[in-house]
Amino acid sequence: MKEQIETIQADALAAVAAATDERSLDDARVAFLGKKGSLTLASAGMKDLPNDQKPIMGQALNVARTAITQAIDEKKAALESEADKKSVEGIDLTLPGRELLQGGLHPLTLVKDRAVSILRRMGFALADGPEIETEYHCFDALNTPDDHPARNEKDTFYFDSGKLLRTHTSSVQIRTMEKASAPVRIIAPGSAYRRDEIDATHLSVFNQLEGLYVDKDVKLGDLKGTLEYFLRAMFGTDTEVRFRPHFFPFTEPSFEIDVKLHVKGQEPKWIEVAGCGMVDPAVFSSVSEQRKDDAFDPENVTGFAFGMGIDRLAMIQYGIKDIRLLIENDARFLQQFA
Ligand code: DAH
């Protein structure tokens, strides 16, 4: 039996040496050390031996097993290093590596995220609504008369169905009040669409951030304080902000807000960033009529609303002179924000 073990060992070592890849090496391992491998079968024969033979044979089996295992391990390492060598053959390892380009957030995203995080700290929660809107949510419920220029086909993208691409995020005010009850404190960032002539300050798709605050006894001072605080948190405590009386159908009184823009090498100038005002009672009436309850009865609640241009905020934040840079995806421009 000893010779038999020695023969198995010699055969196994020969098979291992002859293996040319991992698969043939594994075949050899199975043939000798596997469950039905020849060395395994030989070990099973031990129990039939006379007792005095058992230790000798046991030792011989161990020697054979160790030798074969070691040969397999060494062969495996040799095959692996050979494969490694092959995989870099012909490649000049002394060449410098390729630079991995690091991505970054778009300036609009940076500004939007910052605005949202400041307003959330102030107690506003996120809300949203569809970009394909009904005339009711975009105009009627916002007290916009039938002949208002914003409803004109020249200014608004209409679908054949009569729906439209929302011209402002103010429709989210209505969407929110349909479902919520006072107090309401929401912000809604999102896209808005207009058939504007494209130039340095206008695009046909742009980004707004709507805000709505409804409760008992909300006053004009709350609106002014909230938006001044926000704009100074955004642009620095010494930021100059001004409120200019204006008209919007859905607020009364209404204002436009300007922030002083400082661009290096240019005279500082006022740039409009937002519209705002006290929610017109007519808006609460439309909502109440639709809801058929008094959750937003204009006798009980007041509120303020605002809508700002995120593109404008980004232009102020970074001193960008042409809004088109924000959609052109020119890496030379975008890289500076990464
Ligand atoms: N929706 C207006 C626009 O797009 C901006 C605006 C003005 C929003 C006054 C408001 C507001 O919420 O109260 O020009």
Side-chain angles (χ1 to χ4, degrees):
M1 175 149 183
K2 191 142 186 260
E3 284 97 73
Q4 190 201 343
I5 293 172
E6 280 163 7
T7 313
I8 292 175
Q9 178 175 342
D11 289 351
L13 294 182
V16 169
T20 50
D21 54 21
E22 281 201 39
R23 173 172 302 186
S24 48
L25 182 61
D26 202 51
D27 288 347
R29 184 186 60 76
V30 172
F32 294 96
L33 303 181
K35 260 196 216 146
K36 291 185 186 145
S38 44
L39 195 71
T40 316
L41 295 179
S43 333
M46 282 263 288
K47 61 178 186 325
D48 304 325
L49 292 175
N51 274 346
D52 61 337
Q53 293 277 312
K54 281 185 182 166
I56 302 165
M57 286 307 140
Q59 204 191 2
L61 277 167
N62 274 341
V63 169
R65 180 173 292 278
T66 310
I68 297 170
T69 309
Q70 195 184 337
I72 290 175
D73 289 347
E74 282 167 7
K75 183 72 181 194
K76 193 165 180 206
L79 285 174
E80 275 170 2
S81 91
E82 211 173 291
D84 281 351
K85 241 191 245 153
K86 269 222 184 92
S87 70
V88 295
E89 227 164 49
I91 297 176
D92 182 352
L93 294 177
T94 64
L95 281 177
R98 245 179 238 164
E99 188 188 3
L100 277 183
L101 287 181
Q102 168 132 33
L105 293 177
H106 191 278
L108 284 177
T109 307
L110 293 171
V111 165
K112 183 196 73 185
D113 287 353
R114 232 162 66 75
V116 166
S117 99
I118 294 168
L119 287 160
R120 286 187 56 157
R121 259 187 276 137
M122 294 169 73
F124 288 88
L126 279 168
D128 68 2
E131 291 179 19
I132 297 175
E133 256 303 2
T134 61
E135 280 199 69
Y136 171 78
H137 290 94
C138 199
F139 298 127
D140 298 316
L142 286 161
N143 194 35
T144 310
D146 283 342
D147 58 355
H148 192 276
R151 303 180 77 136
N152 200 306
E153 294 218 357
K154 273 205 339 277
D155 296 311
T156 301
F157 296 103
Y158 282 93
F159 293 92
D160 292 343
S161 64
K163 286 195 173 178
L164 47 83
L165 287 177
R166 68 180 179 195
T167 57
H168 52 187
T169 45
S170 301
S171 49
V172 183
Q173 293 186 29
I174 306 302
R175 294 268 171 200
T176 303
M177 286 190 281
E178 279 175 351
K179 291 175 295 199
S181 50
V184 167
R185 254 187 254 107
I186 58 105
I187 46 171
S191 304
Y193 304 82
R194 284 179 207 170
R195 295 175 89 130
D196 270 336
E197 203 67 56
I198 293 176
D199 63 22
T201 50
H202 294 88
L203 293 173
S204 49
V205 50
F206 53 102
N207 301 278
Q208 291 193 325
L209 190 148
E210 192 75 18
L212 176 68
Y213 185 10
V214 182
D215 202 350
K216 282 194 193 331
D217 296 327
V218 178
K219 299 189 176 67
L220 185 56
D222 300 318
L223 161 63
K224 207 157 171 269
T226 302
L227 290 177
E228 274 174 359
Y229 177 90
F230 166 75
L231 289 167
R232 294 196 172 124
M234 210 48 208
F235 300 122
T237 43
D238 51 359
T239 302
E240 287 172 83
V241 179
R242 89 180 171 191
F243 288 72
R244 264 184 302 108
H246 196 74
F247 173 81
F248 294 104
F250 35 90
T251 43
E252 180 58 33
S254 306
F255 304 88
E256 277 188 335
I257 311 175
D258 302 331
V259 165
K260 200 149 225 187
L261 171 64
H262 298 266
V263 177
K264 256 203 209 113
Q266 277 187 11
E267 278 291 298
K269 65 169 186 224
W270 291 105
I271 171 162
E272 175 205 327
V273 290
C276 66
M278 301 304 292
V279 178
D280 194 304
V283 173
F284 290 134
S285 298
S286 314
V287 169
S288 301
E289 201 176 303
Q290 199 70 17
R291 291 179 56 122
K292 300 188 177 39
D293 67 12
D294 58 2
F296 289 94
D297 184 338
E299 294 297 322
N300 299 330
V301 293
T302 52
F304 68 73
F306 55 91
M308 37 199 162
I310 296 178
D311 314 71
R312 292 285 174 86
L313 299 185
M315 290 170 84
I316 295 174
Q317 177 91 59
Y318 300 116
I320 298 168
K321 279 178 267 174
D322 192 324
I323 196 172
R324 288 170 287 198
L325 286 165
L326 293 173
I327 55 160
E328 279 168 354
N329 275 342
D330 185 334
R332 289 167 302 178
F333 167 73
L334 294 175
Q335 246 155 20
Q336 61 190 311
F337 305 100

